[in-house]
Amino acid sequence: MAIHIVPHDPQWKMRVDAFNTRMREGGSQYGFYVDALPVWLPKRTTDQPVWREYWLAVEDGEHVRAGYALKPQAWWIHGQTKMVADWQGPFSEGAYDNRYGALGLRLFRDMLKKQPLLFSWGHGGDDAPVLQLLNKLKWTMIPTPFLLRVVRPFHFARKNKYLREQPRTRLALDLAAFSGAASIGGRALHAGLRLRSLKRFGAKAEVVSSFGPWADALWERAKHDYDAIAVRDARVMNTLLPEGETQPEWSEQIRLRVRDAAGEDLGWAVVCVRDMKGHHRYGDCRVGTVVDYLAPVANAGEVIHAAFDYLRDRGAELVIANQADPRWVRAFEDNGFVKLEGKRLFCAAPPLAEALENTRERFFVSNMDGHGPMGL
């Protein structure tokens, strides 16, 4: 069996479709992108600061057996710009056919040849085989927290799915909701977290259609506060979120310019809100997400405050976020968010782990640095 790894191309469209059919028939929940041109971040210019690309493993020039995606992006690490890449996949027929069991390892090695500073951020219980493979390859695993603030405790108690799986828990949540205990307890919890910080915030958010020179000025002010962060100037952000463009796997991404009472720019945030339907965690809740953001660290709490206020006013029943930087995590807590430790793993290939040495306390990563806010 001669297997070659080649760029996705329109000529492979029907064969990727056949690959996806075999994957489904083999019991896998995964497949690969049929269209060769990524819907999000297609590479259109040679000097593009961030893009996505698709690669296929093709057997005997005929059958697609696997695929993976890369998202190279410029990062600021220890004061230098380096190209770092997020990966998605690999999705392989090795999931159900032992003849291709070693193909995943080969694809990881191929990804590393193309982009040595490789990472992935996420991973849950279904990813255990991938994590075992990454451990064998000596990747570094960095646990990162999940942050949430319940806005409407009654609705959260009644609608969320994760906490309502067991009949006893479901009954207890219903009793708490209808007795008022959920509302009283939920508000007390978040109010207590706010009071503990002794901080007050007053920044306001303005919806903007794109990132302008003001975003470049913020990047120049903020970047030296971080030892490792993906570049977030206006060009990068407008590439990630082109004006007027939507993504089929995301809700509308809303750009917020955050300023103080005097009109001075403090930072920015990207947020979204979605009415979930039967979600495996959120059930039927209306979920707001603080997807991405940037500010000098001193202004982190103000940016989170403004983003939360906007989502609350849009009817979010629950607001969530993901972050690795401990300083931003504390700023979320200052805004009444609950921190759940170790809910996501940042998995770094050995060359990237070496580049990130001594960055842990000033290491920033958010949803937009990975596959984007898929499903949110």
Side-chain angles (χ1 to χ4, degrees):
M1 296 184 293
I3 294 180
H4 298 282
I5 300 171
V6 300
H8 200 340
D9 184 87
Q11 68 171 307
W12 302 113
K13 182 173 183 177
M14 292 182 62
R15 289 175 171 82
V16 173
D17 194 39
F19 163 77
N20 291 341
T21 298
R22 293 193 300 273
M23 291 285 280
R24 287 193 299 271
E25 291 174 347
S28 174
Q29 61 178 313
Y30 298 111
F32 200 65
Y33 298 98
V34 173
D35 292 322
L37 188 69
V39 175
W40 182 43
L41 298 176
K43 188 167 187 179
R44 302 190 186 280
T45 63
T46 56
D47 62 345
Q48 198 164 309
V50 54
W51 69 93
R52 294 186 85 212
E53 58 191 39
Y54 298 157
W55 295 84
L56 303 175
V58 180
E59 182 181 16
D60 295 332
E62 181 68 23
H63 300 292
V64 173
R65 299 300 184 189
Y68 67 79
L70 292 176
K71 175 175 161 269
Q73 181 171 358
W75 278 48
W76 175 261
I77 301 177
H78 290 307
Q80 297 182 342
T81 302
K82 299 178 182 291
M83 192 59 69
V84 176
D86 164 66
W87 56 264
Q88 186 180 4
F91 309 110
S92 161
E93 290 190 46
Y96 67 90
D97 188 337
N98 290 335
R99 291 179 299 168
Y100 304 101
L103 188 53
L105 177 60
R106 178 178 171 185
L107 292 175
F108 270 110
R109 288 172 172 161
D110 187 74
M111 285 191 280
L112 278 166
K113 286 181 181 178
K114 292 181 172 66
Q115 297 290 341
L117 303 185
L118 195 64
F119 79 92
S120 182
W121 191 43
H123 303 291
D126 293 340
D127 291 336
V130 172
L131 296 178
Q132 291 172 10
L133 177 58
L134 295 182
N135 272 316
K136 291 178 181 178
L137 293 173
K138 307 299 184 184
W139 284 46
T140 297
M141 312 286 184
I142 302 173
T144 64
F146 176 70
L147 302 144
L148 78 156
R149 182 170 172 181
V150 178
V151 186
R152 292 173 171 80
F154 174 87
H155 295 281
F156 176 73
R158 292 281 293 147
K159 293 181 179 180
N160 86 84
K161 189 172 182 181
Y162 182 75
L163 297 178
R164 295 177 62 87
E165 289 290 340
Q166 301 300 322
R168 275 188 191 175
T169 310
R170 192 159 55 244
L171 177 61
L173 286 170
D174 287 341
L175 288 172
F178 288 110
S179 70
S183 295
I184 295 170
R187 291 193 176 97
L189 170 63
H190 295 297
L193 290 168
R194 288 282 293 112
L195 288 170
R196 187 178 66 182
S197 76
L198 298 177
K199 294 181 180 179
R200 297 292 179 268
F201 305 112
K204 299 295 182 182
E206 171 196 354
V207 177
V208 294
S209 60
S210 62
F211 295 86
W214 56 271
D216 287 326
L218 278 167
W219 169 247
E220 290 302 320
R221 282 170 49 201
K223 67 183 183 181
H224 296 289
D225 282 357
Y226 304 93
D227 289 331
I229 184 174
V231 173
R232 282 172 162 79
D233 59 17
R235 184 181 178 218
V236 168
M237 295 312 302
N238 288 327
T239 303
L240 288 164
L241 298 168
E243 184 176 357
E245 187 174 296
T246 59
Q247 297 298 324
E249 295 180 286
W250 307 353
S251 302
E252 177 192 6
Q253 301 297 293
I254 302 158
R255 306 156 188 81
L256 303 177
R257 183 177 180 179
V258 178
R259 291 186 272 196
D260 64 15
E264 181 182 351
D265 285 308
L266 300 178
W268 55 257
V270 176
V271 301
C272 65
V273 62
R274 171 179 284 193
D275 291 312
M276 298 295 186
K277 299 297 181 185
H279 191 276
H280 66 286
R281 286 197 186 97
Y282 309 122
D284 296 330
C285 286
R286 182 169 173 82
V287 178
T289 306
V290 188
V291 175
D292 199 15
Y293 30 92
L294 178 71
V297 170
N299 297 337
E302 294 284 5
V303 169
I304 295 165
H305 164 79
F308 174 79
D309 275 4
Y310 179 85
L311 290 167
R312 180 193 58 200
D313 293 345
R314 289 280 296 252
E317 296 165 345
L318 171 71
V319 176
I320 63 173
N322 296 102
Q323 181 52 248
D325 191 314
R327 302 165 302 170
W328 276 86
V329 171
R330 286 192 291 271
F332 274 102
E333 292 179 294
D334 289 342
N335 275 276
F337 281 70
V338 174
K339 175 177 67 174
L340 301 178
E341 295 280 10
K343 293 299 181 180
R344 303 189 91 190
L345 285 174
F346 183 89
C347 303
L352 179 59
E354 182 179 353
L356 293 177
E357 190 174 1
N358 299 322
T359 66
R360 185 66 190 92
E361 298 303 312
R362 292 159 53 95
F363 169 52
F364 183 104
V365 61
S366 74
N367 295 80
M368 199 60 74
D369 298 318
H371 313 334
M374 298 175 71
L376 298 171

